[in-house]
Each structure stands twice: as structure tokens, then as C-alpha cells.
Amino acid sequence: MNLKRFFGGLLTVLGIVGLIYTAVIFASTSGETKEIKSLLIYGILGIVFFMSGISLVRTTKDE
């Protein structure tokens, strides 16, 4: 099993979880500054993890 491909899959799953959590926070937000900050933090981290995981899986060659 290729370690890079496993790590890419793990990053992708963490990114999806972060984006889902961002959607949950967005659905229940009332507009307070603390909620907006957490929304931005989790959303940006989710996007970064998701994109890096996808690119790692895509660029890793099977041996």
C-alpha cells in the first residue's frame, strides 16, 4: 500500500469533515463575531485539506 496515497485519502476525508462542520456552523449561526471567525477558520482549513488531499492522490503513481 502506498503511504502517500493513504495520506492523501486521509487529508481528503479530513477536508470533507471540515467542510461539513463549516456548513453546520453556517446553518446555526446568528452573526456573532466568534461564530464568523470559527466559520472562516474551519472553512479555510477544510478547503486546504481537501485540495491538498485530492492533489496528492491524483499525482501519486501506482507502482
Side-chain angles (χ1 to χ4, degrees), residues 40-57:
L40 285 174
I41 290 169
Y42 290 127
I44 290 170
L45 284 176
I47 289 171
V48 167
F49 282 3
F50 182 74
M51 296 304 255
S52 64
I54 290 294
S55 68
L56 191 61
V57 168

Side-chain angles (χ1 to χ4, degrees), residues 1-2 4-6 56-63:
M1 180 173 198
N2 198 345
K4 283 184 182 179
R5 192 164 274 237
F6 173 75
L56 191 61
V57 168
R58 185 180 296 167
T59 60
T60 304
K61 304 275 192 234
D62 283 333
E63 294 179 359

Side-chain angles (χ1 to χ4, degrees), residues 1-57:
M1 180 173 198
N2 198 345
L3 188 61
K4 283 184 182 179
R5 192 164 274 237
F6 173 75
F7 189 62
L10 182 67
L11 281 175
T12 304
V13 170
L14 285 175
I16 291 170
V17 169
L19 291 173
I20 289 172
Y21 188 64
T22 302
V24 169
I25 291 174
F26 181 74
S28 67
T29 191
S30 63
E32 294 181 16
T33 305
K34 180 181 175 186
E35 292 174 347
I36 293 173
K37 285 181 183 178
S38 64
L39 182 72
L40 285 174
I41 290 169
Y42 290 127
I44 290 170
L45 284 176
I47 289 171
V48 167
F49 282 3
F50 182 74
M51 296 304 255
S52 64
I54 290 294
S55 68
L56 191 61
V57 168

